[in-house]
């Protein structure tokens, strides 16, 4: 941030060249390495083995498969996804993920990556929502995880920067904040119960703190290969798991409630570089 | 675009339940959410997305015999403590007193003296995180009884390394504090509804929420307080593996 201000003072041209220099896609292991160098965090360093194995992350294969799928002519309309607008214009993949969720004029909604992909696969490629290509959301072998992992990987190292210009983006973020702090259910849990302290553990797992953006960036860096599950997992899958642990009902993927929560959690990591794809416990 | 003011705390304390009131928007669901969403306060919008837009699977049955919708409805304590945590403000004294009074009202003490139960059963309850989970994998209470999941947040047996740290260590709890009647009552009250002593604590209200029975609470108390319980033994120097 300090660098940015100094540069702004030095003039727009300098700012632009600086910004484009800083905003480069970086391998996830380098992003994590630099974060750990700059910050001391039990959460970031809790699994030495995962850190060491980052370059061999199976999710990198998933991303490659996703790229092929993205460019392949598929579905009833036999078209690729190369005209899909993920927020920065048709076909643009680089840097889109760190700027989601965002408001889309064509649907009048704030959408996350998963719901936007569903939109593109149905409206451009002609798939029906019931087709397995669209409907199967979980597992490294699903089209959805392959595509998400590819698209997200093209934002690795870029700072989270979800837009807040449209009033709906702001409204969704604020509702998501309420949801994050919202206690309910037979255990009185909210997300904040477990994610507003630093270095605390649930059993043996170190919990990320949403108020520490350098921790939270790793927390929300999905897709990630979950070693314990031997599968690449999405944000949606993580949210499902946390609500399950909270003894609260299942949130509907793609619902505005789910997107609101993601708008808040992405905003909370603002400015910190994304680690994509990540490797988690 | 007029934004409603945040609900004053008084209204929250009075238990004004947005979700119970008939929704302004249920009848005419807007095709574009922009106007509707931005007219609501963040609290209203969150409740609207949860209950009116059905952002959760509200109709699923729960283990306690209601529906998912009931699980998501907040009681006063949940509502007030959520709002305070989100505001980042410290809990003010009058609100703390109200939360504590609500807890006091909720606690049903056993008749007569509170006797310790069986620490071995208590240990199982303290270790078990089973119960009340729903959604993609539903806990079946007829197959396995629900536990208290104390280890998720607390150290208890000093030789157990896989313990959480969200709550304070309870290792040596009985050894350090004794087993007077007053201590027994105190511990019972904490497990039943810890908001009595710690308003807006993150510790679940096991008795109030009905997730532990009176007998289970007495078993967990034995695990905490019985001199024979592993919780009250000294650390074995050999068990340092991490």
């Amino acid at each position: 941030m300090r660098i940015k201000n100094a540069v702004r003072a030095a003039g727009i041209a300098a700012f632009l060249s600086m910004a484009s220099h800083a905003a480069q896609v970086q391998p996830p292991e380098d992003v994590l390495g630099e974060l750990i160098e700059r910050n001391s965090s039990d959460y970031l360093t809790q699994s030495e083995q995962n850190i060491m194995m980052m370059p061999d992350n199976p999710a990198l294969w998933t991303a490659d498969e996703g790229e092929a799928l993205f460019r392949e002519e598929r579905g009833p309309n036999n078209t690729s996804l190369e005209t899909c607008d993920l927020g920065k214009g048709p076909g643009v993949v680089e840097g889109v993920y760190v700027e989601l969720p965002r408001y889309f004029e064509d649907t009048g909604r704030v959408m996350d990556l998963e719901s936007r992909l569903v939109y593109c696969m149905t409206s451009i490629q002609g798939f029906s929502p019931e087709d397995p290509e669209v409907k199967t959301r979980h597992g490294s072998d699903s089209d959805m995880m392959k595509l998400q992992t590819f698209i997200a990987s093209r934002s690795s190292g870029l700072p989270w920067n979800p837009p807040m210009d449209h009033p709906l983006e702001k409204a969704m973020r604020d509702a998501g904040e309420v949801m994050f702090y919202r206690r309910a259910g037979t255990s009185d849990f909210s997300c904040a119960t477990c994610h507003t302290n630093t270095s605390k553990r649930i059993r043996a797992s170190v919990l990320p703190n949403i108020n520490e953006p350098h921790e939270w960036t790793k927390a929300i860096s999905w897709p990630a290969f979950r070693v314990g599950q031997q599968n690449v997992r999405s944000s949606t899958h993580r949210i499902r798991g946390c609500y399950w642990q909270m003894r609260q009902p299942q949130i509907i993927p793609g619902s505005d409630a789910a997107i609101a929560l993601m708008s808040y959690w992405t905003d909370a990591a603002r400015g910190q570089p994304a680690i994509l794809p990540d490797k988690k416990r | 675009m007029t934004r409603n003011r945040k609900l004053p705390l008084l209204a929250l304390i009075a238990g004004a339940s947005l979700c119970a009131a008939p929704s302004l928007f249920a009848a005419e669901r807007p095709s574009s959410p922009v106007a509707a969403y931005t007219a609501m306060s963040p609290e209203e919008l969150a409740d609207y997305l949860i209950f009116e837009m059905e952002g959760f699977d509200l109709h699923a049955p729960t283990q306690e015999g209601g529906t998912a919708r009931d699980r998501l409805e907040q009681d006063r304590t949940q509502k007030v403590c959520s709002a305070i945590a989100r505001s980042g403000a410290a809990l003010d004294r009058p609100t703390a007193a109200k939360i504590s009074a609500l807890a006091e009202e909720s606690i049903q003490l056993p008749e007569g003296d509170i006797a310790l139960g069986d620490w071995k059963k208590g240990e199982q309850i303290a270790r078990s995180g089973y119960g009340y989970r729903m959604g993609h994998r539903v806990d079946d209470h007829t197959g396995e009884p629900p536990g208290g999941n104390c280890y998720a947040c607390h150290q208890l047996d000093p030789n157990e390394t896989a313990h959480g740290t969200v709550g304070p260590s309870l290792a040596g709890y009985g050894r350090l504090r004794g087993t007077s009647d007053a201590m027994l009552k105190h511990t019972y009250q904490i497990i039943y509804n810890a908001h009595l002593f710690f308003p807006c604590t993150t510790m679940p209200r096991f008795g109030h929420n009905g997730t532990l029975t009176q007998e289970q609470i007495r078993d967990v108390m034995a695990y905490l307080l019985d001199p024979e319980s592993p919780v009250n033994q000294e650390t074995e120097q050999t068990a340092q593996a991490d």
Side-chain angles (χ1 to χ4, degrees):
Chain A
M1 283 290 105
R2 220 180 305 129
I3 296 176
K4 227 173 166 180
N5 286 338
V7 169
R8 205 168 275 158
I12 301 282
F15 171 68
L16 282 178
S17 73
M18 183 78 179
S20 65
H21 171 75
Q24 252 171 28
V25 175
Q26 268 184 295
E29 64 268 27
D30 294 355
V31 183
L32 181 58
E34 280 174 31
L35 267 178
I36 290 172
E37 249 169 57
R38 281 202 307 272
N39 306 279
S40 96
S41 157
D42 294 338
Y43 169 67
L44 290 177
T45 53
Q46 71 171 312
S47 174
E48 207 171 306
Q49 195 171 358
N50 280 0
I51 295 169
M52 267 164 41
M53 302 293 279
M54 283 286 276
D56 302 320
N57 190 346
L60 296 167
W61 293 102
T62 314
D64 286 349
E65 290 175 333
E67 176 161 25
L69 216 51
F70 188 83
R71 311 213 182 283
E72 188 184 318
E73 289 168 352
R74 301 199 317 146
N77 297 345
N78 202 33
T79 347
S80 80
L81 284 170
E82 284 163 316
T83 57
C84 174
D85 181 359
L86 295 163
K88 296 186 153 214
V92 179
V93 172
E94 190 157 309
V96 292
Y97 186 56
V98 286
E99 296 187 23
L100 288 170
R102 70 155 66 223
Y103 177 76
F104 286 90
E105 205 75 55
D106 51 14
T107 56
R109 290 185 65 202
V110 173
M111 300 170 93
D112 67 324
L113 177 59
E114 188 167 308
S115 50
R116 191 64 188 171
L117 268 174
V118 170
Y119 173 76
C120 285
M121 290 170 83
T122 50
S123 67
I124 297 171
Q125 295 183 309
F127 285 114
S128 124
E130 294 305 310
D131 287 336
E133 288 86 347
V134 180
K135 202 175 180 183
T136 309
R137 302 284 168 90
H138 301 311
S140 303
D141 290 336
S142 66
D143 289 359
M144 206 36 112
M145 280 320 308
K146 290 175 186 173
L147 288 166
Q148 285 189 32
T149 309
F150 159 59
I151 294 162
S153 70
R154 295 303 192 268
S155 282
S156 189
L158 306 184
W160 296 105
N161 187 25
M164 289 291 152
D165 308 321
H166 195 280
L168 200 56
E169 291 166 342
K170 182 76 172 54
M172 291 284 274
R173 180 242 170 251
D174 291 352
E177 180 176 15
V178 174
M179 288 179 66
F180 192 88
Y181 284 94
R182 192 178 189 282
R183 296 183 181 202
T186 49
S187 290
D188 301 315
F189 285 147
S190 71
C191 312
T193 305
C194 295
H195 294 298
T196 49
N197 288 298
T198 306
S199 300
K200 295 277 184 193
R201 293 198 316 259
I202 285 282
R203 280 282 182 158
S205 306
V206 184
L207 298 162
N209 182 353
I210 196 163
N211 299 315
E212 297 289 357
H214 63 269
E215 290 196 336
W216 201 247
T217 179
K218 179 168 163 61
I220 62 160
S221 285
W222 302 94
F225 183 78
R226 281 201 70 179
V227 176
Q229 303 183 357
Q230 288 293 303
N231 264 291
V232 178
R233 297 303 193 192
S234 61
S235 303
T236 300
H237 192 271
R238 180 67 252 179
I239 291 175
R240 184 180 90 168
C242 279
Y243 272 115
W244 183 74
Q245 285 181 353
M246 286 161 73
R247 278 81 185 159
Q248 289 184 28
Q250 191 163 16
I251 195 165
I252 309 292
S255 65
D256 282 345
I259 293 168
L261 189 60
M262 276 189 245
S263 296
Y264 174 60
W265 89 2
T266 312
D267 187 47
R270 180 177 297 285
Q272 292 292 321
I275 307 158
L276 294 163
D278 192 21
K279 199 166 194 184
K280 289 184 168 75
R281 308 172 80 220
Chain B
M1 195 181 31
T2 51
R3 224 159 220 242
N4 295 355
R5 302 289 316 148
K6 267 189 196 171
L7 284 182
L9 199 56
L10 260 180
L12 291 174
I13 291 171
S17 168
L18 283 167
C19 25
S23 163
L24 288 170
F25 300 98
E28 3 112 33
R29 206 167 267 186
S31 57
S32 154
V34 177
Y37 286 17
T38 53
M40 286 184 247
S41 71
E43 292 86 349
E44 287 170 325
L45 181 54
D47 273 354
Y48 180 76
L49 297 183
I50 294 168
F51 295 108
E52 303 304 330
M53 297 295 287
E54 305 210 358
F56 288 77
D57 176 13
L58 298 177
H59 308 287
T62 61
Q63 287 89 350
E64 65 273 24
T67 63
R69 173 182 281 273
D70 305 329
R71 277 267 178 105
L72 285 167
E73 304 269 11
Q74 294 176 294
D75 69 11
R76 271 194 233 181
T77 297
Q78 289 170 336
K79 216 169 230 193
V80 172
C81 295
S82 302
I84 285 173
R86 185 165 69 94
S87 76
L91 187 60
D92 59 278
R93 275 163 170 263
T95 311
K98 280 226 168 73
I99 296 295
S100 179
L102 280 172
E104 175 134 50
E105 270 169 41
S106 84
I107 295 174
Q108 290 173 5
L109 292 169
E111 283 178 26
D113 291 339
I114 303 173
L116 295 182
D118 177 343
W119 70 257
K120 290 192 175 123
K121 286 187 190 159
E123 172 163 20
Q124 280 171 14
I125 295 163
R127 288 185 180 280
S128 167
Y130 197 80
Y132 295 97
R133 289 170 301 196
M134 58 187 299
H136 60 290
R137 237 163 46 236
V138 182
D139 286 339
D140 174 5
H141 294 184
T142 61
E144 189 180 339
N149 213 7
C150 317
Y151 272 101
C153 295
H154 292 290
Q155 179 179 43
L156 294 114
D157 179 341
N159 290 309
E160 171 61 80
T161 52
H163 64 81
T165 56
V166 172
S169 172
L170 302 175
Y173 187 81
R175 186 162 44 80
L176 299 171
R177 308 197 193 196
T179 53
S180 65
D181 284 349
M183 192 58 208
L184 261 57
K185 183 177 172 195
H186 180 80
T187 307
Y188 185 92
Q189 287 169 317
I190 288 179
I191 301 172
Y192 199 100
N193 189 340
H195 292 255
L196 177 58
F197 303 114
F198 310 102
C200 289
T201 179
T202 51
M203 175 156 156
R205 297 169 292 173
F206 294 99
H208 173 76
N209 291 336
T211 50
L212 291 180
T213 63
Q214 222 172 65
E215 193 186 333
Q216 284 178 306
I217 294 178
R218 292 196 300 105
D219 291 338
V220 176
M221 286 175 60
Y223 188 51
L224 289 176
L225 290 161
D226 194 317
E228 298 291 306
S229 159
V231 171
N232 295 314
Q233 311 310 309
E234 302 285 347
T235 326
E236 280 170 36
Q237 293 305 322
T238 48
Q240 293 269 326
D242 209 333

